[in-house]
Amino acid sequence: MDNFFAAISLFRRRKYDECIEVCNGLLLQQTQQQQQPAQHNALHQGPWELKMRSMTQRVYIDDIEADDDVAEDILDTQTIATAPRPGTSIRTAKPLTSAAGNTTANRPRTGTGRPITGISRPGTLSLQRPGSTLGNRTAPRTASRTAGGSARQMRLGSASMFAAGDPTGPLFHISRLHPDKYADRDALSKPLFQYLYYHEGDIRKAMALCDAVLNRRRLRSGLGSDGDQLGRAGSAPDSGSDWWWNTQKARCLIAIGSPREAEPYLRKALQDLLHPDVVLLLARIYVKIDQPMAALEVCRTSLEKLPNEIALLTQQARILELVGNLTTSVRRYRQIAVLDPMNTEALACIAVSYFYANQPETALLYYRRILALGAHSAELYCNIGLCCLYGGQLDLVFPCFQRALRMATGNELRADIWYNLSFVALTTGDIHLARRCLRLCIAANGSHGSALNNMAVLVARQKQYHKAKSYLVAARTALPASDEIGHNLKFIENFQ
C-alpha cells in the first residue's frame, strides 16, 4: 500500500499519532531523494498538510458552547444599563413561580446565579455552588477554551513553512508566517487557520489570516481597491466573503474579548448561510453583553427556518434558565427530549424539575434513564440517592452515596456529597453521623457555607455557643448574602 494513502487512511480512522509518524517518514524520504527546491516544495505539500491537519485534530475542541460562564465575564465597557428591567438581565434574574404555584426560590444556584439543573455544561465546573441539595451536574463535558493553554505548551516551530533541514520535526515558526502568502490558497488556508487557532492557540495570527483572506476575496469580487483597510477589528465585514471566514473572524474577536465587534461578522455570515453554529455564536455574544432577550430572539428567528434544531432549542432553554424562567425552560427541554430521547441534558433538567415539584419517584425514572445511557458520575449517583430518600426507598440511599464517594474526583465535589449525606443522616435522626459527615465536608472544603451553618446549629444544641458563633462567622464569610446565616448569628449572640 502506498504510504501516503496509508496516512490518509489513518487520518480518517482518527489515529492521528500514527498518521503523523507516517507523514514524518514521507517527508524525510522525499527530502533525501529530491535536490531541487521547487520539486521539494511540490512533493512535500501533501504530507505536510496532512501532518498539520492531524496535529490540529489531535487537540481539537468544539468551543461553540465552551465559554459558558456569563456573569463573571461581563466587562464594564459592555454593560448596557445599570438597572435593567426584571426578566431581561442575567445578573438580576430571580426565580419565577410556576403555574402550579410551586415556587423555585429554594433551588440551589451556582456562583453566577444560575439554578442547578443536574447537568454538566462546558466551562461550568469551576463555578461550584456554596452547598445545595442536589448534586452538581451529570452529563459528560467537553473541553473549555482554556485548553488553548495546553495547546500552546505543545507549540512547535522550525525555520520555514516547508523546512528542508528537519522535515520530521516542527512545522514552522509562527512569527515568520506571512498570512498574505496563503490567502489565495483555499485548500491550505482553512486547515492553516484551524492549526493556528486550536493547536498553537495564537488568536492574533489566526485573525491576521482571516483578515488576509477577507481582503483578497473582496478584491477578487471587485468591490474596491482599499482591501488593506478591511477586515480589521471594529470595521464592517466585506460583502464578498463567504460565511465560514466571517464566522472565524468573529470567533477570534470573541476569544480576544471583543464581542461587540464580532456581531456584524456573524450577521453577515447568517445572510450568506443560516448555520446553527453561527446562531449559537451570535447568541453567546448577546449573553456575554447581558442581552438575553436579544439572544432568545435570534434563536426564535432561526428556529422558524430550522425547526426542531436541537442545538438552538437547547440554547433557548439555557438562556431561559439564566433569566429565571424555569417553567418555559423545562418546556423546551421536554420538546428536546421528544426529538432526542437520548439527550442527557434534557433528561436531567426534567428530572430536577420533578424533584423540586415534590415528585421524586418521577425524577428517579429520568435519572435511571440517564444511568442506562452510560452517564456514570458521582453527581448522578448523589441525585439518585436523594430521590430514593424522598421516595421512601431507604435501602438504596447509602449504596448510591457510597458509589458517589468512590467516583468523586475533586475536593469540592466530595464536600458536596458529604453535605448531602449529612442531610440524609439528619432526616433519619442519626445526629452523630450527621456531625461526622459535616466535619468531613468542612475538611474537604473549608468554605462550604451551608455545612458550616449546619455544624453551628448542631454545636449550639450542645450549648457550645462560642464554638457555634465561630462556625457562623466562617459561614457568613463564605455566604455573605444568606439570610439564614445572619438570623442564626443574631440568635446565637443573645446567649453570650
Side-chain angles (χ1 to χ4, degrees):
M1 180 185 296
D2 182 73
N3 290 334
F4 186 60
F5 181 80
I8 296 176
S9 177
L10 291 171
F11 177 81
R12 290 177 176 176
R13 287 180 287 165
R14 300 183 181 181
K15 298 182 179 180
Y16 302 121
D17 293 331
E18 299 178 13
C19 178
I20 292 173
E21 293 179 0
V22 175
C23 291
N24 288 339
L26 289 172
L27 292 171
L28 181 60
Q29 180 182 0
Q30 293 174 2
T31 301
Q32 294 174 353
Q33 293 178 357
Q34 301 299 327
Q35 301 296 332
Q36 299 180 3
Q39 295 179 356
H40 165 77
N41 287 344
L43 291 175
H44 276 66
Q45 182 172 350
W48 182 87
E49 181 181 347
L50 185 60
K51 177 183 177 181
M52 180 174 62
R53 294 182 63 185
S54 299
M55 295 173 68
T56 302
Q57 291 297 323
R58 188 172 56 180
V59 298
Y60 175 80
I61 53 176
D62 185 7
D63 61 337
I64 288 295
E65 55 183 18
D67 192 6
D68 201 28
D69 43 345
V70 177
E72 295 181 356
D73 210 21
I74 300 176
L75 303 178
D76 293 337
T77 57
Q78 307 292 349
T79 303
I80 299 300
T82 56
R85 292 179 298 169
T88 62
S89 174
I90 297 171
R91 289 168 292 174
T92 60
K94 295 182 179 180
L96 302 180
T97 303
S98 61
N102 296 324
T103 180
T104 59
N106 294 326
R107 288 185 56 171
R109 307 174 76 87
T110 63
T112 60
R114 180 174 56 204
I116 301 299
T117 58
I119 191 69
S120 178
R121 296 188 190 136
T124 60
L125 293 188
S126 60
L127 302 176
Q128 297 292 340
R129 66 193 183 285
S132 70
T133 305
L134 283 182
N136 190 4
R137 312 244 174 199
T138 59
R141 65 185 290 266
T142 59
S144 65
R145 263 310 285 142
T146 56
S150 61
R152 285 192 291 271
Q153 295 175 1
M154 301 172 60
R155 178 171 296 175
L156 305 176
S158 66
S160 62
M161 183 66 77
F162 298 97
D166 184 16
T168 63
L171 290 177
F172 53 86
H173 273 306
I174 300 299
S175 59
R176 301 183 183 181
L177 175 66
H178 298 286
D180 294 335
K181 181 180 178 181
Y182 305 97
D184 288 333
R185 306 173 67 175
D186 295 336
L188 184 60
S189 57
K190 288 186 178 181
L192 180 59
F193 171 85
Q194 293 177 339
Y195 177 82
L196 293 172
Y197 188 89
Y198 293 106
H199 186 276
E200 297 294 327
D202 195 333
I203 307 300
R204 297 289 181 179
K205 187 64 69 172
M207 188 164 58
L209 179 61
C210 287
D211 292 338
V213 174
L214 292 174
N215 293 338
R216 288 297 180 90
R217 290 177 179 273
R218 188 180 192 282
L219 292 175
R220 188 184 305 172
S221 60
L223 296 179
S225 59
D226 54 343
D228 55 336
Q229 300 296 328
L230 298 177
R232 297 179 180 175
S235 60
D238 56 278
S239 58
S241 61
D242 61 359
W243 73 275
W244 195 87
W245 285 106
N246 276 323
T247 304
Q248 305 313 314
K249 172 71 174 182
R251 190 191 301 269
C252 293
L253 290 171
I254 295 174
I256 65 175
S258 302
R260 289 189 180 278
E261 298 173 358
E263 180 183 357
Y265 289 92
L266 292 175
R267 289 290 185 182
K268 177 60 177 64
L270 285 178
Q271 294 177 6
D272 297 337
L273 177 65
L274 183 60
H275 196 279
D277 289 353
V278 183
V279 179
L280 292 177
L281 283 175
L282 186 58
R284 187 205 297 183
I285 287 178
Y286 288 127
V287 170
K288 274 182 171 292
I289 61 179
D290 198 19
Q291 294 184 13
M293 296 298 106
L296 289 173
E297 180 64 21
V298 170
C299 294
R300 186 193 63 79
T301 305
S302 302
L303 283 171
E304 294 177 355
K305 300 180 181 179
L306 298 174
N308 299 331
E309 177 63 37
I310 300 295
L312 300 183
L313 290 173
T314 304
Q315 184 68 19
Q316 259 194 338
R318 292 175 180 176
I319 298 173
L320 288 169
E321 185 182 86
L322 284 173
V323 299
N325 194 349
L326 300 180
T327 303
T328 310
S329 176
V330 173
R331 191 180 302 120
R332 289 289 182 273
Y333 280 121
R334 293 183 186 277
Q335 184 179 356
I336 296 171
V338 172
L339 297 172
D340 183 11
M342 299 182 64
N343 192 298
T344 56
E345 179 178 351
L347 294 175
C349 292
I350 296 172
V352 80
S353 67
Y354 274 117
F355 181 87
Y356 287 105
N358 297 324
Q359 301 182 39
E361 297 86 357
T362 308
L364 185 59
L365 294 177
Y366 282 94
Y367 280 126
R368 285 180 173 174
R369 171 62 177 168
I370 298 173
L371 190 64
L373 294 175
H376 298 268
S377 63
E379 299 91 337
L380 178 60
Y381 282 105
C382 182
N383 292 348
I384 292 177
L386 291 172
C387 289
C388 291
L389 173 66
Y390 284 95
Q393 304 181 30
L394 301 180
D395 55 330
L396 299 176
V397 175
F398 285 101
C400 289
F401 277 99
Q402 290 175 356
R403 180 70 66 87
L405 288 172
R406 285 198 299 266
M407 300 182 67
T409 55
N411 290 331
E412 295 182 351
L413 176 58
R414 192 174 292 107
D416 285 339
I417 297 175
W418 281 118
Y419 173 76
N420 291 331
L421 192 55
S422 70
F423 182 78
V424 174
L426 289 173
T427 304
T428 57
D430 194 342
I431 304 299
H432 180 66
L433 177 60
R435 188 182 298 110
R436 294 183 61 183
C437 292
L438 288 174
R439 287 175 180 173
L440 290 171
C441 174
I442 297 172
N445 182 12
S447 60
H448 201 291
S450 299
L452 292 169
N453 177 76
N454 292 358
M455 192 66 183
V457 174
L458 295 180
V459 170
R461 289 183 177 181
Q462 298 177 346
K463 297 183 179 181
Q464 300 179 9
Y465 301 118
H466 291 282
K467 193 173 182 179
K469 183 178 180 180
S470 63
Y471 279 118
L472 289 174
V473 170
R476 187 174 60 179
T477 303
L479 296 177
S482 176
D483 296 334
E484 182 181 8
I485 296 176
H487 172 76
N488 292 341
L489 191 58
K490 292 180 181 179
F491 180 80
I492 208 69
E493 288 176 353
N494 297 330
F495 293 90
Q496 295 182 352

